[in-house]
Amino acid sequence: MSLEEYLKSKGGSLRREGNQEWIDLDDYSFYIEGDTLYIPIPLPTGKEKLDDLVSMGIKYARASRISQGIGSPLSYEIKGEQVIVYRKFSSREELEQKLIKALESIEGLRYYI
């Protein structure tokens, strides 16, 4: 099963913006560029309301599970008000296989939260 088919079966989508492919799952989005997966995580600014912080916590949990699922080596950089966790894969096929497996692992987490 391709990544796009998998996402459709789970109610998500894959959209293209320039050379980036954005994966949208509920209220969380991350992207692929070439053979690299990028997982943005918002940083608190001190201006958030309680609802914003709850939403950020859910995004942290999802990003954490995806990061664990895709495995090492992970890298990161800070861009503005986000930490971008990323991993370069040896091929697009490996990226899709690892990502689908990681997304399967967050299904239980989604219902738990």
Side-chain angles (χ1 to χ4, degrees):
M1 174 182 295
S2 74
L3 178 60
E4 192 165 12
E5 292 168 335
Y6 173 80
L7 292 170
K8 283 182 184 177
S9 75
K10 298 297 181 181
S13 64
L14 185 66
R15 63 182 159 87
R16 288 170 175 70
E17 288 184 14
N19 59 348
Q20 296 175 338
E21 294 177 87
W22 282 86
I23 296 160
D24 298 316
L25 290 171
D26 297 326
D27 64 344
Y28 187 59
S29 299
F30 50 99
Y31 62 97
I32 298 169
E33 216 174 288
D35 293 336
T36 305
L37 178 65
Y38 295 88
I39 305 167
I41 304 169
L43 292 172
T45 63
K47 300 175 186 172
E48 292 82 9
K49 297 177 184 171
L50 181 57
D51 287 345
D52 299 331
L53 293 172
V54 169
S55 176
M56 288 172 75
I58 292 169
K59 290 176 183 177
Y60 294 159
R62 289 182 182 167
S64 174
R65 288 295 287 234
I66 293 168
S67 296
Q68 289 172 357
I70 61 173
S72 297
L74 295 174
S75 300
Y76 73 94
E77 63 184 72
I78 297 174
K79 284 188 174 180
E81 296 176 355
Q82 293 184 329
V83 172
I84 309 292
V85 175
Y86 62 94
R87 177 170 178 211
K88 181 162 178 54
F89 292 87
S90 59
S91 68
R92 175 64 184 235
E93 293 77 26
E94 179 190 15
L95 184 156
E96 287 193 17
Q97 289 172 359
K98 293 270 187 171
L99 181 55
I100 289 170
K101 183 178 175 186
L103 293 174
E104 283 292 319
S105 77
I106 68 169
E107 282 297 307
L109 180 68
R110 183 181 328 199
Y111 297 112
Y112 176 75
I113 292 177

